[in-house]
């Protein structure tokens, strides 16, 4: 199962382990009658995202999509027995452990293996699925009838990069181990084209591969003839917060689900997963058919965050920029306050310009929950992050915009008796707004693209939706290509519209006042 | 006493550079005073000290017997009594001609828009710019801009008009229109303090001419005193230099 642990999630886990910080939040979760389950909803057949509640899918919290799959079926059974309401929280893989730690979810049911490393941070229930390793090969090849690892002697075999699949390859005697590959679609293509003779996979993926592409065949082994693996790798368990008393109850429930029933659930999941639908020609059309609404909603969220974030950020920038122009007061007490506040503003600008937005998102979203037990709404958190981030940049842009207004106009305004505030409001800010328009447009375009990092806190913007679609349909290139096109259309149209607005604002250069012609 | 501005022992330095050394100047109501002198003599600084665009380092400034440099003096209000015309016009680029003349009245004097518009139109007529009310500063020539700037200052209904080399940044053919506007104003009895290099103009309109040299008032007198019978050697030298240049 999935073993990759990103540095970020490690950092967040460390943060989560600061003693005494997490208790409060824990209590909150159990008091509610909800059973909040975190999953990627993009790791078929364990979990995926779909548009309808077909075949028992459950609504995703705060989104109009549904989650289906093996994990969802298991979660339904557990919630049912616990007498609690199941809520599926779609969460980025790396965000799962911190979300659990910070009490945003009660359990991780996401095809997660209970590795030693993870056990240090979170508890695991008993295993609720155990997969076995299989080989996928070509149906018309000499290996199609293989029964044991020995039969693959001399075959060119590979597996996915950074997985334990790859490390077991050398258990095959006389194997020609190939370079590891990034993803399954790539391996399927390599297999079809004959570059490799087979790849190591797990049963669910093998079944999928077989059903999607009849030219492929999955080879299953009996226990003694197959790969020797550790349960660390092949077992899948439910992640719970350290010391959660529900673990025992859930173990009991899991024990009540028989091996046969599990296999049945998995086979159904494999059958129902989005990728195994009938091939209807062009993969792009197929992806659009399946995920059109998903992408549209993602686009909406991206545009909302980018637009609202740019406007709010612009306002913040304007306030900060204008504040910095206020002349130092003659009164001492006021002067000290001014200096202090100015210093704080500098800290704000430097910190938010000097750190990546992806890190800010994680720290702010999970940090507020961990440290203060304050559960931010995801969209609100995202908007907050984009706004203050943009504000930090905009305050510097506004500073430049104010410099661009010549000092003569400041003096002229003072000379007719305007106060600093009046000068700013009537004379300077209107010109600054025009001056910063190109840079603001630029920020807007950057925000359209950069909101993609908010997927770290599971905001369902365009990139996140693309990722879950690709996770379900295994067509990474085609899916991301569509996402890429959507992003480009967005940024290109925005750039054009802003250019038009600028032109309109400036008016014609060669405008001759009508009054002159009367002369 | 009908003096409107009274300056005593005014001092101003920029760092080590002492620009104004002990200036005394009294300006009466209705008087037209021109300040001449070579560049760097401190005449612009003196003018800018009067409406406190520059903060003096010493001395006193009285406006109608009010101490302008007193700690809690209402500076914005004081400035509304002084109209300032700059060398670089300094029109508000985000406003058209009419708005330039209205904004101070509405924002600072709290007049209604109708009232402000009426006053603005009157003054734009005085400076001959009433046909350009919709134009943006970027669409005007230098001379036109300067006339609007004069109209803007007049619209605040000031007691004193300050002119800081109003024609120095203009193309020669535009100097005339601005000087004519100023001459017309001088004849209305408005108090004016003018820093200028236009000697013929100064001779023509001044009730009093002040010659400044190296931060002090070197000589003061009527236009005839200064231009025809200068007492000081440095005044004579300055005039000779200026007149020679303009004759060439």
């Amino acid at each position: 199962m999935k073993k990759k642990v990103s540095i970020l999630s490690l950092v967040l886990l460390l943060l989560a382990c600061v003693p005494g910080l997490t208790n409060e939040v824990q209590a909150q979760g159990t008091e509610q009658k909800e059973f909040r389950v975190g999953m990627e909803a993009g790791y078929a057949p364990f979990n995926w995202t779909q548009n309808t509640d077909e075949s028992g899918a459950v609504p995703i919290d705060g989104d109009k999509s549904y989650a289906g799959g093996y994990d969802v079926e298991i979660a339904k059974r557990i919630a049912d027995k616990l007498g609690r309401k199941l809520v599926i929280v779609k969460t980025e893989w790396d965000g799962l452990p911190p979300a659990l730690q910070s009490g945003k979810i009660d359990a991780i049911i996401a095809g997660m293996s209970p590795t030693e490393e993870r056990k240090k941070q979170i508890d695991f229930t008993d295993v609720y699925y155990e997969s076995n390793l299989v080989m996928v090969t070509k149906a018309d090849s000499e290996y199609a009838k293989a029964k044991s690892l020995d039969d693959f002697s001399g075959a060119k075999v590979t597996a996915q990069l950074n997985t334990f699949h790859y490390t077991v390859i050398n258990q095959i005697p006389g194997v020609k181990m190939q370079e590891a590959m990034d993803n399954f679609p790539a391996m399927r293509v390599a297999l079809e084209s004959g570059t490799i003779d087979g790849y190591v996979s797990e049963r669910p993926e093998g079944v999928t591969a077989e059903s999607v592409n009849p030219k492929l065949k999955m080879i299953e082994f009996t226990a003694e003839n197959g790969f020797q693996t550790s349960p660390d790798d092949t077992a899948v368990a439910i992640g719970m917060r350290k010391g959660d008393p529900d673990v025992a109850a859930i173990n009991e429930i899991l024990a009540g689900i028989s091996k046969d029933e599990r296999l049945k659930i998995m086979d159904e999941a494999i059958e129902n997963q989005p990728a195994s639908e009938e091939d209807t020609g062009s993969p792009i059309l197929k992806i659009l058919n399946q995920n059109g609404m998903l992408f549209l909603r993602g686009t909406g969220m991206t545009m909302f965050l980018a637009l609202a974030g740019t406007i709010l950020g612009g306002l913040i920038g304007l306030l900060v920029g204008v504040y910095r122009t206020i002349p130092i007061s003659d009164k001492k007490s006021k002067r000290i306050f001014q200096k202090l506040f100015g210093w704080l503003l500098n800290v704000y600008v430097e910190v938010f310009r000097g750190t990546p937005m992806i890190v800010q998102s994680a720290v702010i979203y999970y940090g507020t929950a961990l440290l203060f037990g304050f559960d931010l709404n995801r969209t609100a958190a995202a908007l907050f992050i984009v706004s203050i981030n943009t504000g930090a940049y905009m305050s510097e842009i506004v500073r430049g915009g104010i410099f661009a207004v010549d000092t003569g106009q400041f003096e002229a305004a003072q000379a007719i008796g305007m106060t600093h505030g009046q000068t700013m409001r009537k004379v300077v800010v209107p010109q600054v707004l025009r001056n910063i328009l190109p840079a603001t447009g630029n920020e807007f375009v950057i925000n359209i693209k950069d909101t993609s990092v908010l997927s770290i806190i599971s905001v369902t913007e365009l990139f996140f939706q693309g990722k879950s679609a690709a996770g379900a349909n295994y067509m990474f290139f085609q899916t991301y290509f569509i996402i890429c096109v959507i992003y480009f259309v967005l940024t290109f149209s925005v750039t054009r519209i802003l250019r038009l607005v600028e032109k309109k604002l400036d008016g014609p250069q060669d405008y001759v006042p009508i009054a002159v012609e009367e002369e | 006493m009908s003096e409107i501005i009274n300056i005593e022992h005014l001092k101003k330095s920029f760092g080590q550079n002492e620009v104004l050394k002990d200036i005394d100047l009294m300006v009466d109501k209705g008087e037209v005073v021109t300040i001449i002198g070579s560049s760097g003599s401190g005449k612009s600084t003196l003018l800018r000290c009067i409406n406190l665009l520059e903060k003096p380092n010493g001395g006193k400034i009285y406006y109608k017997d009010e101490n302008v440099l007193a700690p809690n003096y209402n500076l914005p209000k004081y400035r509304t009594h002084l109209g300032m015309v700059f060398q670089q016009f300094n029109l508000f680029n985000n406003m058209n001609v009419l708005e330039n003349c209205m904004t101070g009245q509405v924002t600072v004097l709290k007049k209604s828009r109708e009232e402000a518009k009426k006053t603005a139109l009157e003054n734009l007529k005085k400076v001959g710019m009433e046909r350009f009310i919709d134009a943006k500063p970027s669409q005007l020539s230098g001379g036109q801009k300067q006339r609007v700037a004069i109209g803007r200052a007049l619209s605040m209904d000031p007691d004193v008009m300050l002119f800081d080399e109003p024609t120095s940044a203009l193309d020669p053919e535009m100097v005339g229109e601005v000087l004519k506007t100023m001459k017309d104003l001088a004849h209305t009895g408005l108090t004016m303090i003018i820093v200028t290099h236009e000697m013929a103009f100064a001779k023509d309109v001044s009730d009093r001419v002040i010659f400044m040299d190296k931060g002090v008032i070197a000589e003061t007198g009527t236009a005839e005193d200064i231009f025809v019978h200068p007492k000081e050697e440095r005044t004579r030298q300055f005039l000779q230099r200026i007149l020679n240049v303009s004759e060439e």
Side-chain angles (χ1 to χ4, degrees):
Chain A
M1 294 296 119
K2 303 195 108 185
K3 280 189 78 179
K4 61 177 173 136
V5 178
S6 80
I7 291 178
L8 186 67
S9 65
L10 268 180
V11 169
L12 288 167
L13 277 173
L14 284 178
L15 194 67
C17 292
V18 181
L21 291 178
T22 56
N23 302 341
E24 232 179 313
V25 194
Q26 274 178 0
Q28 230 175 31
T30 43
E31 269 167 25
Q32 290 159 352
K33 279 275 167 253
E34 285 182 344
F35 183 54
R36 299 176 68 83
V37 173
M39 61 180 64
E40 284 176 283
Y43 184 54
F46 283 94
N47 51 68
W48 66 78
T49 306
Q50 60 186 49
N51 283 321
T52 63
D53 60 356
E54 248 177 308
S55 55
V58 173
I60 290 172
D61 186 37
D63 194 11
K64 288 201 179 80
S65 323
Y66 298 82
Y70 182 81
D71 288 333
V72 175
E73 291 304 317
I74 295 291
K76 270 157 79 173
R77 283 163 174 78
I78 293 171
D80 200 38
K81 293 268 169 55
L82 286 176
R84 285 161 66 178
K85 185 173 175 280
L86 176 62
V87 176
I88 300 288
V89 184
K90 188 172 174 174
T91 308
E92 184 78 353
W93 177 255
D94 290 336
L96 285 168
L100 180 66
Q101 293 278 12
S102 59
K104 287 178 189 291
I105 54 175
D106 301 317
I108 300 172
I109 309 186
M112 189 178 268
S113 300
T115 59
E116 283 308 313
E117 211 173 343
R118 290 196 185 116
K119 278 180 190 164
K120 287 176 198 154
Q121 318 297 345
I122 56 180
D123 281 353
F124 280 98
T125 63
D126 292 342
V127 170
Y128 71 92
Y129 182 79
E130 197 149 10
S131 80
N132 39 345
L133 289 181
V134 298
M135 288 283 292
V136 177
T137 182
K138 248 162 115 177
D140 59 359
S141 76
E142 52 174 308
Y143 303 104
K145 291 193 171 62
K147 288 272 184 288
S148 70
L149 291 186
D150 296 344
D151 296 335
F152 280 94
S153 178
K156 290 181 280 183
V157 176
T158 188
Q160 193 179 13
L161 191 69
N162 290 333
T163 59
F164 77 101
H165 304 168
Y166 194 68
T167 54
V168 299
I169 292 178
N170 51 27
Q171 291 181 17
I172 305 171
V175 74
K176 289 178 186 156
M177 196 164 161
Q178 306 293 305
E179 282 293 307
M181 288 187 170
D182 255 352
N183 53 49
F184 287 101
M187 287 191 282
R188 290 180 198 160
V189 172
L191 186 58
E192 263 197 272
S193 66
T195 355
I196 55 170
D197 296 318
Y199 64 84
V200 182
S201 182
E202 292 174 40
R203 194 175 167 275
E205 197 280 331
V207 175
T208 311
E210 245 181 4
S211 67
V212 169
N213 191 339
K215 282 184 212 152
L216 305 182
K217 183 165 171 38
M218 172 183 77
I219 311 290
E220 284 182 273
F221 306 101
T222 53
E224 57 275 16
N225 287 332
F227 293 105
Q228 302 306 308
T229 53
S230 100
D232 248 23
D233 294 325
T234 53
V236 170
I238 300 172
M240 305 285 284
R241 264 187 302 276
K242 279 258 175 218
D244 192 321
D246 285 341
V247 171
I250 290 176
N251 279 339
E252 211 170 293
I253 297 166
L254 289 176
I257 307 173
S258 71
K259 200 157 191 182
D260 281 350
E261 195 181 351
R262 288 181 196 182
L263 205 63
K264 198 179 131 240
I265 299 171
M266 180 51 89
D267 284 345
E268 274 171 12
I270 291 168
E271 202 175 304
N272 291 332
Q273 63 179 310
S276 62
E277 275 171 30
E278 274 303 294
D279 210 27
T280 51
S282 157
I284 300 270
L285 279 179
K286 192 177 151 200
I287 294 168
L288 282 176
N289 254 337
Q290 279 176 1
N291 307 298
M293 281 311 291
L294 202 70
F295 292 167
L296 214 59
R297 281 200 297 273
T299 306
M301 179 59 97
T302 290
M303 284 309 278
F304 165 71
L305 287 176
L307 185 64
T310 308
I311 290 172
L312 289 176
L315 279 177
I316 296 172
L318 206 59
L319 288 177
V320 173
V322 168
Y323 176 83
R324 284 172 163 180
T325 66
I326 295 174
I328 294 293
S329 170
D330 293 332
K331 292 200 194 79
K332 194 167 181 201
S333 55
K334 217 173 157 188
R335 201 163 52 218
I336 290 171
F337 172 78
Q338 269 184 330
K339 282 225 170 110
L340 187 74
F341 194 69
W343 182 80
L344 283 176
L345 286 182
N346 285 344
V347 170
Y348 155 65
V349 171
E350 293 306 330
V351 166
F352 279 90
R353 283 203 313 166
T355 54
M357 190 155 89
I358 189 167
V359 180
Q360 293 164 15
S361 331
V363 169
I364 289 173
Y365 183 61
Y366 296 119
T368 48
L370 277 172
L371 298 172
F372 310 111
F374 181 60
D375 193 4
L376 281 177
N377 171 295
R378 248 177 286 156
T379 311
L383 185 57
F384 175 73
I385 289 155
V386 178
S387 302
I388 52 173
N389 199 284
T390 310
Y393 283 95
M394 288 303 295
S395 64
E396 290 299 300
I397 291 168
V398 168
R399 203 156 70 109
I402 292 174
F403 274 132
V405 179
D406 57 305
T407 47
Q409 292 185 59
F410 284 83
E411 290 191 342
Q414 280 179 31
I416 58 172
M418 283 195 189
T419 60
H420 184 77
Q422 288 166 339
T423 307
M424 282 294 153
R425 229 174 37 239
K426 297 284 173 183
V427 179
V428 180
V429 169
Q431 294 183 58
V432 169
L433 288 180
R434 171 62 192 91
N435 290 343
I436 65 172
L437 194 61
T440 310
N442 201 27
E443 277 299 312
F444 187 25
V445 167
I446 289 174
N447 277 341
I448 292 176
K449 296 182 295 169
D450 281 7
T451 44
S452 59
V453 307
L454 293 165
S455 62
I456 184 82
I457 58 168
S458 311
V459 175
T460 51
E461 44 70 51
L462 186 54
F463 176 70
F464 189 70
Q465 303 288 39
K467 212 168 165 182
S468 39
N473 62 25
Y474 283 97
M475 289 186 278
F476 290 85
F477 167 72
Q478 291 89 337
T479 309
Y480 284 127
F481 181 75
I482 294 172
I483 299 297
C484 183
V485 169
I486 298 177
Y487 271 119
F488 181 74
V489 168
L490 290 181
T491 54
F492 187 75
S493 338
V494 163
T495 313
R496 291 287 125 173
I497 290 169
L498 281 171
R499 201 57 53 77
L500 277 179
V501 170
E502 273 176 46
K503 254 197 175 147
K504 192 108 200 174
L505 274 184
D506 286 350
Q509 289 280 311
D510 53 349
Y511 176 74
V512 182
I514 300 164
V516 181
E517 288 164 4
E518 288 171 5
E519 260 184 311
Chain B
M1 293 297 275
S2 63
E3 86 244 13
I4 212 161
I5 299 279
N6 187 4
I7 297 170
E8 290 173 2
H9 307 296
L10 190 71
K11 288 190 185 69
K12 174 69 187 174
S13 32
F14 295 107
Q16 295 294 312
N17 185 15
E18 215 181 356
V19 183
L20 296 180
K21 308 166 189 168
D22 200 26
I23 300 281
D24 288 308
L25 176 67
M26 222 186 268
V27 178
D28 283 341
K29 195 168 164 42
E31 198 177 15
V32 175
V33 178
T34 52
I35 305 174
I36 59 171
S38 47
S39 55
S41 60
K43 52 194 192 308
S44 276
T45 307
L46 172 59
L47 201 72
R48 290 165 61 84
C49 276
I50 294 177
N51 69 354
L52 300 187
L53 283 180
E54 303 291 353
K55 266 229 152 77
N57 300 111
K60 296 238 153 74
I61 300 174
Y62 294 97
Y63 164 74
K64 291 183 175 168
D65 293 332
E66 294 168 14
N67 180 5
V68 170
L69 294 170
N72 284 319
Y73 190 70
N74 188 339
L75 188 57
K77 185 157 183 275
Y78 165 60
R79 282 174 172 156
T80 62
H81 301 308
L82 308 175
M84 178 89 167
V85 176
F86 298 86
Q87 188 177 338
Q88 299 292 344
F89 333 125
N90 298 346
L91 292 182
F92 304 135
N93 288 332
N94 56 319
M95 303 176 195
N96 66 24
V97 167
L98 186 64
E99 286 161 350
N100 259 283
C101 298
M102 284 172 63
T103 184
Q105 299 184 65
V106 175
T107 320
V108 184
L109 301 179
K110 308 289 175 205
K111 284 207 221 167
S112 70
R113 288 194 66 85
E114 294 77 48
E115 238 183 307
K117 189 174 175 183
K118 196 168 152 259
T119 313
L121 285 174
E122 272 168 24
N123 287 301
L124 283 171
K125 203 161 192 169
K126 263 188 218 167
V127 297
M129 287 299 291
E130 77 278 14
R131 287 173 180 152
F132 293 83
I133 53 173
D134 289 328
K136 280 281 173 83
S138 59
Q139 294 163 332
L140 300 177
S141 73
Q144 291 171 330
K145 280 189 210 176
Q146 195 60 297
R147 284 189 283 152
V148 173
I150 294 171
R152 174 175 69 182
L154 288 175
S155 295
M156 299 299 287
D157 193 20
D159 292 334
V160 182
M161 283 287 284
L162 309 174
F163 293 87
D164 186 8
E165 303 193 26
T167 57
S168 299
L170 294 177
D171 289 339
E173 73 263 33
M174 293 176 182
V175 171
E177 58 182 277
V178 173
L179 290 183
K180 182 179 176 299
T181 308
M182 291 169 65
K183 214 177 281 180
D184 293 344
L185 278 182
H187 293 147
T188 63
L190 190 66
T191 314
M192 293 164 72
I193 305 174
I194 306 163
V195 170
T196 186
H197 288 292
E198 299 293 332
M199 294 306 147
F201 168 76
K203 204 167 165 181
D204 199 20
V205 301
S206 306
D207 296 317
R208 188 148 55 107
V209 177
I210 288 167
F211 171 66
M212 282 186 70
D213 187 47
K214 291 176 186 146
V216 297
I217 294 180
E219 191 170 350
T220 171
T222 61
E224 187 167 317
D225 288 342
I226 300 290
F227 289 109
V228 187
H229 315 290
K231 290 195 199 82
E232 298 277 331
E233 179 55 30
R234 42 188 174 173
T235 315
R236 260 197 294 275
Q237 277 173 0
F238 169 75
L239 288 173
Q240 217 155 29
R241 271 205 310 277
I242 291 284
L243 296 176
N244 282 347
V245 169
S246 49
E247 274 162 21
E248 267 169 23

